[in-house]
Amino acid sequence: MRSPRNDRLGSDNSANGPERTCILSGEAAPRDALIRLAVSPPGPDGACVVLPDVHARAPGRGAWIGVSRQDLEKAQAKGKLKGALLRAFGKSLDGTPLTIPDDLAERIDTALVRAFTDRLGLETKSGRLLVGSDRIAENARNGKVRWLAHAADAAEDGSRKLDQAWRVGSDAEGSGLRGTVLPLDRAALSVALGRDNVVHLALADGKAAERVAAPLQRLLHFRGQAAQSAETENDGGQGSAQAETVVATTN
């Protein structure tokens, strides 16, 4: 990645952590909720290429977006994205041409999926991720589950039973607390985790649940699927939602 200068800091004293401003919508949000774009060094044609930097690790100035894939593709088709990027990178390009790949949105989506599945893989290696309906149900009924999720193609009956067990264990019966429907099917989850037939997932550790919820919510938001994920009603403090990705807490 090109490394002219570092990003200008936004509202770094925000209670929710450092903030950045979306170059397309103009709205500020915690940087962990946005997607960073960076530029490559000049290629053989002398141009820098815009690339996703979802972990925000590439050196140099970056540009941040918080819009959905559909809005990003519209902005790119109308030329608004390039104008916003040129303003964001500014003089750091030193007159170097800027190329935006036609498949930038697809590259971002792929990178977000990878960030989410990599996080699941790390929690699996640490022994924190629970899989298997029986194991999850037992932990859920005992109040040990903090995050519950189902594959996109999970059977409704199986998901409903685990959701009910989670509500019972979280002392949230009668609430809308239920697991998040993931934007990945069982085949994709099984490949990502190196296990057979992964349909339901759970975490008993609250910090681990937060670590998984953050990249998942970014992916859901980019795909415009946030409203289709799990929902929860007011349950007296026993269940809480980070956007629409639910992480249960207990007193």
Side-chain angles (χ1 to χ4, degrees), residues 105-187:
E106 182 62 28
R107 295 189 189 197
I108 293 174
D109 188 272
T110 299
L112 291 175
V113 170
R114 180 63 182 270
F116 172 58
T117 56
D118 282 354
R119 185 72 256 171
L120 287 178
L122 290 173
E123 301 303 339
T124 300
K125 290 179 180 178
S126 69
R128 295 188 182 94
L129 192 71
L130 305 176
V131 295
S133 296
D134 291 343
R135 187 182 182 196
I136 292 174
E138 180 181 356
N139 280 270
R141 283 192 294 269
N142 290 330
K144 296 180 179 179
V145 167
R146 299 294 174 266
W147 178 81
L148 175 65
H150 314 294
D153 57 347
E156 183 178 349
D157 183 58
S159 298
R160 186 168 55 246
K161 288 179 180 178
L162 291 179
D163 291 342
Q164 177 60 24
W166 194 26
R167 288 192 290 271
V168 170
S170 300
D171 194 21
E173 292 181 84
S175 76
L177 183 66
R178 58 194 176 101
T180 299
V181 178
L182 299 178
L184 301 171
D185 60 19
R186 69 183 70 195

Side-chain angles (χ1 to χ4, degrees), residues 64-139:
W64 298 80
I65 59 171
V67 297
S68 68
R69 175 172 181 164
Q70 183 179 30
D71 289 339
L72 175 66
E73 291 175 333
K74 287 181 180 178
Q76 185 170 357
K78 294 179 179 179
K80 293 182 179 180
L81 176 61
K82 187 162 189 176
L85 286 169
L86 288 173
R87 289 190 294 274
F89 290 116
K91 296 180 181 179
S92 64
L93 292 171
D94 297 324
T96 304
L98 187 67
T99 297
I100 304 175
D102 292 338
D103 64 345
L104 177 62
E106 182 62 28
R107 295 189 189 197
I108 293 174
D109 188 272
T110 299
L112 291 175
V113 170
R114 180 63 182 270
F116 172 58
T117 56
D118 282 354
R119 185 72 256 171
L120 287 178
L122 290 173
E123 301 303 339
T124 300
K125 290 179 180 178
S126 69
R128 295 188 182 94
L129 192 71
L130 305 176
V131 295
S133 296
D134 291 343
R135 187 182 182 196
I136 292 174
E138 180 181 356
N139 280 270

Side-chain angles (χ1 to χ4, degrees), residues 51-67:
L51 299 171
D53 177 29
V54 298
H55 294 294
R57 294 173 181 166
R61 180 179 289 275
W64 298 80
I65 59 171
V67 297

